[in-house]
Amino acid sequence: MSGRRRWLSRLLWAVLVAPVVVCLLAPSLVIIPMSFSRSPVLSFPPSGFTLDWYQRLFTSSEWIASARNSATVAFAATVLSLLLGVPAGLALGLRDWRSKRLMMAFVITPMVIPTVVLAIGMYAVYARLGLVGMWGLAAAHAVIAVPFVVITTMAAARQLDPTLLLAARSLGALPWQVFLNVTLPSIARGVLSGAVFAFVTSWDEVVIALFLTDPTFKTLPVQMWNQLSQGVDPTVAALATTLLGLTTLLMVSVLATSRRPR
Amino acid sequence: MTLGSTSPAGIHLQGVRKSYRGQPVLHGLDLTVAAGEFVSMLGPSGSGKTTTLKVIAGFEQADAGTVTLDGRDMDGIPPERRNIGVVFQNYSLFPHMSVAANVGFPLRMRKVGKQQRQEQIRRALSLVELGGYEDRMPRELSGGQQQRVAIARALVFEPQVLLMDEPLGALDRRLRAVMQLEIKELHERLGLTVVYVTHDQEEALAMSDRIVVFNAGRIEQVGTPREIFRNPATVFVADFMGDSLSLSGNVTANQVQLAGGAGEFALHGMVVPEGAARFLWRSDAVRVAEPAVLDQNGPTLRLPATVITSAYGGDALRLRVRLASGDVGIVTVRDSGQAPPAGSAISVLLDLSTAVALPDGADRYEVAS
Amino acid sequence: MNTVLGSLQGGGSRKPRLPRPAALGMWPVLAVLLVIFVWPTVVIISRSVTDPPGAGLSNFHRVLTDPTVLRFGWNTVRTALIVTAATAVIGYGYAYAIYRAGPALRVLLLFCALLPFWTSLLVRSFAWTVILRDTGIVNWLLLRVDVVDHPVGLLRTPFAVTLGMTQILLPFVILPCYTAMMRFDRDLHLAARSLGARPSAAFWLVFFPVTRVGLVAGSILVLVLSLGYYITPVLLGGPGDQPIAVLIASQVTTQLDWGLAGSMAAVVTAVVLALLALGWRLVARAFLGEEVR
Ligand SMILES: Nc1ncnc2c1ncn2[C@@H]1O[C@H](COP(=O)(O)OP(=O)(O)OP(=O)(O)O)[C@@H](O)[C@H]1O
Ligand SMILES: [Mg+2]
């Protein structure tokens, strides 16, 4: 290809890709300036500079309580989904057995069933199980988070050479020692990223939370949702910016650690 | 029209240079491959064999120098218009196409009619003895069969030149031996020009009209298999072509002083320039006897040596030995049912008339033998 | 010991059978899922035939004939199809741009593709409302360059819903496409070229068919997910642009018509599961790294 034509095709690509990049980033970036704007109606361009919305966010007992609720639920859901998902991921990734693929499909389905269906179903049933408030929501979130843990654990376990486990046994390790010293360290990275996914999934979940929470126990997304349906409020922009900063930090640290060679 | 009816083309490389990110990979190659010739490129990993092939095929542009094919300058001609067949190490069959579609691909690109396409596919597949496999998918074939399909695909459009990059590298030893003969036979039948990359020296010796030995982006030696094996031009080539035993010494007039004061001997009819030199014997040209002191008996040199280790190789025994001069080498002896233990003293018999004298430095010179 | 290891290596890729039931690790998750996932789903779906008592198939009859349900259903299907098509084209192209980019640009483009993945769904939907509202950045730009003289109503339109969902679901296509492209053997492209294919032919006849797995798997996932979308349409769409998920929720919360909600849930779930079953091999290959056997 001649230099001129290569240059032209590059230009063409840039012209095609740039709008996609803008669309991918715009929603994340545009709220940042808005959260500092004096205007209470979120109009563009932002006017003036103020930290009022942040002050309102961080001093509001309602926002803080819901953030704490969200963190509690997400933490509990993560622990639950790890307890359930890691053994399952190991069973799926390490060994071959009959009807394994069917089981895999089954464990993955909570991820794709419309959350509204799950939400109303759980709404109808959980009270009968005594699963109300924090625990009900944590259990529900664990269900939709467990596929992530299973997938990442399974992927990590697949990388594990099964002869390694037998080699460890032949070198004198007991089964639990093999698990602690060989299996666990090898899948740790997969489990960790599964845990991060699980936490984020629960932290971010709205639909089920709308059905399983009540005014005395609201999560952050629910509080945000309520605020949005009442009208424009730049406090939400301040919250969104804060969350964006946190997730970017999380993402950069995950990217940075996954770059390290194993 | 039958396969191979087009006349083969000669390839000529002149001063070809190539760098990747400022790192020179080819340092000005000159190489001529005659029409119809089977030439192997041999050399260690990373020495630039694949890169040379890519420059010939047009996958990479040389930074400097010219490539001509059949006398035509190939500069700026994209690979699809060079009419060169290429066979890759991992076969590179299109996984989503049947065997017939793979072999028919180049014909489709050349807008050959369906009727004629099928006829040519059939003929190409029968050439590699895969008639009846038309509808299989690549993953349903064994490694050897996949390789044959790749060859059929590279031949079906009657290229003037066939380039093969370690085509047998992924096959097991026995299948490789079978395929070597098949490829050689194909070459003889079709008479096209073949450039064949390998880093298996036995394969190169068995198949080629000529061998090009690469080392770090330069051509170390070009010659017939016999020349390369018996008369390596450099220590590198000698080492690369198989087991050997060599002595380093210093040549003055007609005398050679061995390194480390291990002795001296007279050159018998050999013409070697003065200075540091190495005298090299292929392992099978060395005989072994009971221990004795340095003793030159006519053109035969008798040197004491110590066995370091031995390896059983079926009909022969490979001994790694250390000479009094400190030189370490390998000699091959007939297996007599018992390997000499490590540390045992033996003596090696070296016939000066079968020796190859090599410069001990970087330069090379021709030896009158 | 040597023989044990030796025989294992000789066995090739087959994993050795260990004693103990191999699926033991699955039991806890299966038990829990049965109680807190399967049971609620079954309950809600069974409401379709039990509510009101003796309903039989009457609720399904309503689903298929009621104009409101049909309108919401059509909204859902239309949006899902448009979003799937848009994410397929844009996602594949974007993945190809990442694939062809140099190392530095590649990291940047990957970051841009992943950032939305990590950003809260609610935050992103909210951000689109900020962008698209009458006093938002798009209308500001349009007014500034005098394309229009009064704000164009972008928010609360089907366009806003489609745009928002496309952006939110794009990573589900980009990532599997990119993975498939990274696995593509460059030699296949060179082989095609040496066999006489021009770059465009090599792309369409070899590169695209080989990397299509990622595209199909990603598109199935996007289709399935967009059929159940709730948040984004509510925030970005107008009253007439709402999907079936919103109708299901409102039947439960305001109409207390569990029978109709249940039957709509049954239909959506059935469609989703059927689509997934159809594409399961490809989805499993692209997202779970399962080899097709
Ligand atoms: N695309 C590339 N970018 C950067 N460096 C490259 C590239 N291709 C090859 N090289 C470098 O060029 C040198 C020669 O590579 P080449 O593939 O020609 O070696 P080779 O002789 O074919 O080796 P092998 O026997 O391992 O196939 C190597 O050092 C390699 O690292
Ligand atoms: Mg190579």
Side-chain angles (χ1 to χ4, degrees):
Chain A
M1 209 194 301
S2 72
R4 179 116 152 273
R5 271 188 55 194
R6 175 171 298 177
W7 197 82
L8 263 173
S9 75
R10 286 225 176 131
L11 188 74
L12 186 71
W13 267 114
V15 167
L16 287 175
V17 169
V20 182
V21 171
V22 169
C23 273
L24 283 170
L25 291 185
S28 306
L29 297 185
V30 100
I31 41 173
I32 298 175
M34 305 307 258
S35 68
F36 295 105
S37 167
R38 277 183 198 287
S39 155
V41 292
L42 291 176
S43 61
F44 198 88
S47 55
F49 178 87
T50 177
L51 290 175
D52 281 359
W53 314 118
Y54 286 89
Q55 199 196 349
R56 226 185 259 193
L57 179 68
F58 289 113
T59 53
S60 146
S61 60
E62 231 180 349
W63 283 113
I64 289 176
S66 62
R68 196 182 304 122
N69 289 341
S70 267
T72 317
V73 169
F75 182 75
T78 306
V79 172
L80 271 174
S81 59
L82 286 179
L83 287 176
L84 298 172
V86 171
L90 283 176
L92 289 169
L94 230 40
R95 294 132 182 226
D96 277 334
W97 34 279
R98 266 188 317 137
S99 59
K100 173 171 128 167
R101 290 160 63 74
L102 191 71
M103 284 297 135
M104 199 189 292
F106 173 69
V107 174
I108 305 301
T109 35
M111 220 167 109
V112 289
I113 298 284
T115 37
V116 165
V117 175
L118 289 180
I120 58 174
M122 291 162 167
Y123 180 58
V125 165
Y126 277 19
R128 264 188 265 168
L129 290 171
L131 278 171
V132 285
M134 199 275 274
W135 286 109
L137 191 54
H141 283 176
V143 168
I144 55 169
V146 103
F148 290 107
V149 178
V150 172
I151 291 174
T152 53
T153 307
M154 184 177 72
R158 254 204 220 109
Q159 303 292 311
L160 192 65
D161 182 357
T163 55
L164 209 64
L165 304 180
L166 292 169
R169 289 297 295 281
S170 77
L171 295 169
L174 296 170
W176 64 269
Q177 288 173 315
V178 174
F179 183 79
L180 278 186
N181 294 307
V182 184
T183 314
L184 216 51
S186 326
I187 60 163
R189 195 175 294 274
V191 173
L192 186 69
S193 62
V196 171
F197 270 116
F199 190 90
V200 171
T201 303
S202 167
W203 175 264
D204 194 26
E205 206 286 323
V206 199
V207 183
I208 296 176
L210 280 174
F211 278 86
L212 296 188
T213 52
D214 53 52
T216 61
F217 186 87
K218 277 189 288 189
T219 60
L220 199 58
V222 170
Q223 170 75 14
M224 215 159 140
W225 178 262
N226 292 343
Q227 206 68 40
L228 286 176
S229 42
Q230 277 165 27
V232 208
D233 180 359
T235 317
V236 179
L239 173 64
T241 307
T242 311
L243 290 180
L244 188 72
L246 286 177
T247 47
T248 309
L249 247 154
L250 190 67
M251 189 176 146
V252 167
S253 57
V254 166
L255 275 182
T257 49
S258 68
R259 297 230 123 216
R260 228 181 283 149
R262 297 190 189 211
Chain B
M1 190 156 53
T2 53
L3 276 178
S5 63
T6 42
S7 55
I11 305 167
H12 187 64
L13 303 189
Q14 194 170 20
V16 168
R17 283 173 194 285
K18 177 81 195 166
S19 314
Y20 285 116
R21 292 189 210 104
Q23 199 72 16
V25 171
L26 299 179
H27 305 261
L29 289 192
D30 297 315
L31 178 65
T32 303
V33 178
E37 201 178 16
F38 193 121
V39 168
S40 287
M41 301 208 277
L42 186 62
S45 199
S47 56
K49 307 180 296 290
T50 299
T51 307
T52 309
L53 221 59
K54 285 187 167 170
V55 168
I56 298 174
F59 299 148
E60 297 282 358
Q61 215 72 37
D63 300 339
T66 56
V67 178
T68 59
L69 193 72
D70 212 9
R72 279 174 298 133
D73 190 348
M74 285 289 118
D75 186 37
I77 299 195
E80 64 268 24
R81 294 194 11 234
R82 293 197 179 190
N83 222 33
I84 292 179
V86 184
V87 176
F88 297 80
Q89 176 169 8
N90 295 315
Y91 324 135
S92 295
L93 296 181
F94 304 133
H96 59 296
M97 294 185 194
S98 68
V99 166
N102 263 286
V103 177
F105 186 87
L107 304 175
R108 226 168 112 201
M109 292 300 108
R110 288 166 175 77
K111 307 220 169 11
V112 176
K114 192 163 183 204
Q115 208 81 53
Q116 198 189 347
R117 203 155 77 203
Q118 265 159 358
E119 177 55 23
Q120 276 176 270
I121 293 170
R122 199 189 52 74
R123 218 183 332 224
L125 283 176
S126 71
L127 190 70
V128 293
E129 288 165 14
L130 277 181
Y133 283 75
E134 281 82 354
D135 296 328
R136 295 271 195 109
M137 295 305 278
R139 63 172 176 276
E140 298 166 348
L141 300 177
S142 73
Q145 289 168 335
Q146 290 187 41
Q147 190 54 277
R148 280 184 240 195
V149 175
I151 293 172
R153 186 178 70 174
L155 289 177
V156 72
F157 60 100
E158 294 162 10
Q160 296 175 293
V161 171
L162 184 61
L163 306 180
M164 306 178 99
D165 192 356
E166 301 191 38
L168 308 183
L171 302 183
D172 68 54
R173 212 178 150 80
R174 263 177 32 133
L175 191 52
R176 208 151 66 201
V178 174
M179 288 297 296
Q180 282 172 9
L181 293 179
E182 286 189 15
I183 292 174
K184 195 161 160 64
E185 196 201 318
L186 267 179
H187 168 249
E188 278 157 12
R189 269 208 355 247
L190 305 179
L192 38 54
T193 312
V194 177
V195 179
Y196 187 99
V197 170
T198 172
H199 49 222
D200 177 344
Q201 81 275 9
E202 278 175 33
E203 191 167 292
L205 290 172
M207 302 180 72
S208 331
D209 295 327
R210 281 194 305 153
I211 295 176
V212 183
V213 183
F214 276 70
N215 180 22
R218 292 197 170 79
I219 292 179
E220 198 85 5
Q221 190 177 2
V222 183
T224 64
R226 192 158 278 112
E227 282 166 1
I228 299 274
F229 189 71
R230 288 295 164 197
N231 286 317
T234 64
V235 175
F236 174 84
V237 176
D239 279 346
F240 198 78
M241 293 310 295
D243 295 344
S244 63
L245 177 77
S246 64
L247 303 172
S248 40
N250 201 37
V251 180
T252 45
N254 216 11
Q255 279 297 111
V256 180
Q257 270 93 34
L258 288 180
E264 59 176 22
F265 60 90
L267 285 170
H268 269 263
M270 291 175 87
V271 187
V272 182
E274 300 204 344
R278 276 182 96 78
F279 295 85
L280 176 134
W281 289 264
R282 296 252 76 105
S283 295
D284 60 346
V286 180
R287 281 171 300 136
V288 170
E290 291 302 305
V293 286
L294 169 64
D295 158 26
Q296 188 179 8
N297 185 2
T300 303
L301 201 59
R302 192 181 168 107
L303 292 176
T306 318
V307 176
I308 302 172
T309 180
S310 67
Y312 177 66
D315 49 355
L317 206 54
R318 291 168 73 225
L319 303 180
R320 196 170 155 77
V321 299
R322 178 181 284 114
L323 301 172
S325 59
D327 293 305
V328 173
I330 292 169
V331 302
T332 324
V333 296
R334 288 267 313 259
D335 179 39
S336 56
Q338 181 134 31
S344 58
I346 56 167
S347 67
V348 291
L349 300 174
L350 304 170
D351 186 347
L352 283 179
S353 66
T354 58
V356 184
L358 297 169
D360 214 1
D363 299 336
R364 70 185 74 174
Y365 52 81
E366 295 303 317
V367 185
S369 54
Chain C
M1 174 202 119
N2 266 333
T3 54
V4 171
L5 289 180
S7 69
L8 284 172
Q9 272 141 12
S13 66
R14 248 200 64 198
K15 305 200 169 171
R17 290 194 182 281
L18 303 181
R20 280 188 286 146
L24 187 68
M26 290 298 294
W27 295 356
V29 74
L30 289 183
V32 170
L33 284 186
L34 268 169
V35 177
I36 64 179
F37 164 62
V38 177
W39 188 24
T41 315
V42 168
V43 162
I44 200 64
I45 287 173
S46 64
R47 289 279 174 97
S48 63
V49 288
T50 60
D51 191 307
L57 291 178
S58 64
N59 283 320
F60 287 100
H61 186 255
R62 281 166 71 200
V63 167
L64 293 178
T65 52
D66 187 293
T68 315
V69 177
L70 290 180
R71 200 180 71 237
F72 279 69
W74 166 240
N75 281 344
T76 313
V77 171
R78 187 198 54 207
T79 311
L81 290 178
I82 297 176
V83 167
T84 306
T87 48
V89 173
I90 300 172
Y92 190 85
Y94 189 82
Y96 189 66
I98 306 181
Y99 172 71
R100 292 297 298 267
L105 188 61
R106 177 176 295 182
V107 171
L108 186 78
L109 291 177
L110 263 177
F111 183 86
C112 294
L114 283 169
L115 185 68
F117 215 47
W118 286 93
T119 317
S120 153
L121 178 74
L122 202 51
V123 167
R124 270 180 294 163
S125 302
F126 162 66
W128 278 114
T129 67
V130 174
I131 292 174
L132 296 176
R133 68 180 57 213
D134 285 356
T135 56
I137 184 167
V138 174
N139 271 311
W140 176 74
L141 275 175
L142 291 178
L143 290 169
R144 278 297 292 265
V145 296
D146 280 334
V147 182
V148 293
D149 45 17
H150 49 85
V152 191
L154 295 167
L155 200 57
R156 314 238 160 271
T157 62
F159 167 76
V161 177
T162 310
L163 180 64
M165 283 174 65
T166 302
Q167 188 255 347
I168 288 166
L169 291 168
L170 206 47
F172 288 97
V173 176
I174 295 178
L175 293 182
C177 286
Y178 176 64
T179 313
M181 289 175 189
M182 289 309 281
R183 285 207 201 111
F184 179 79
D185 178 4
R186 287 270 309 153
D187 280 354
L188 289 182
H189 174 81
L190 296 183
R193 295 291 302 277
S194 77
L195 295 169
R198 295 194 306 149
S200 60
F203 180 88
W204 287 113
L205 296 178
V206 177
F207 185 83
F208 182 71
V210 172
T211 56
R212 194 170 42 197
V213 207
L215 179 61
V216 177
S219 299
I220 290 173
L221 207 61
V222 166
L223 183 60
V224 162
L225 290 175
S226 57
L227 284 174
Y229 248 52
Y230 181 93
I231 301 300
T232 314
V234 171
L235 288 179
L236 300 181
D241 316 322
Q242 297 305 312
I244 201 86
V246 171
L247 191 61
I248 295 177
S250 75
Q251 288 305 310
V252 169
T253 53
T254 60
Q255 310 290 314
L256 299 180
D257 188 344
W258 286 84
L260 187 58
S263 50
M264 287 189 287
V267 171
V268 178
T269 307
V271 170
V272 162
L273 289 183
L275 282 173
L276 210 64
L278 271 179
W280 175 244
R281 289 179 142 231
L282 290 175
V283 172
R285 181 138 69 114
F287 288 96
L288 311 180
E290 266 295 290
E291 272 319 307
V292 179
R293 259 167 268 170

